[in-house]
Amino acid sequence: MMGFVDGQLFPYLKGFKQRADNANTIEYKIGEIFSEIKNKIQRGYSLRDALEKVDSLRFRSQQEKHELSHLYEAKIKKNG
């Protein structure tokens, strides 16, 4: 799993920037984000656990989306 994430998934997402029509597209923004980050999870088991937790999140209601957005912004601010 780690080989796939590091060797295929992240490079693929990074390539969105080069394939985007212009800098105002979501593809460009995704590529920009992935060109600056690295996978810091070192063990496949830890990655699997994280993916299972993300997979269990619900995004059905506006309230759930707002809560997740708030958590994400708080995490960014804390790490900023």
Side-chain angles (χ1 to χ4, degrees), residues 12-75:
Y12 172 75
L13 295 170
K14 180 181 177 180
F16 276 28
K17 183 176 177 180
Q18 288 76 32
R19 294 187 298 271
D21 293 333
N22 65 65
N24 294 323
T25 63
I26 189 70
E27 291 85 3
Y28 184 91
K29 293 173 184 170
I30 290 170
E32 181 72 19
I33 290 167
F34 278 89
S35 68
E36 297 181 14
I37 64 171
K38 294 185 184 213
N39 177 21
K40 293 188 178 186
I41 299 176
Q42 297 178 2
R43 295 180 52 231
Y45 293 112
S46 298
L47 178 59
R48 184 191 64 205
D49 291 344
L51 290 173
E52 286 175 356
K53 290 200 185 303
V54 169
D55 191 43
S56 72
L57 296 174
R58 297 175 29 162
F59 302 101
R60 294 187 182 104
S61 73
Q62 191 62 31
Q63 178 65 26
E64 291 168 334
K65 292 175 187 176
H66 177 72
E67 289 174 6
L68 184 62
S69 175
H70 177 71
L71 290 171
Y72 176 74
E73 293 295 330
K75 181 76 169 170

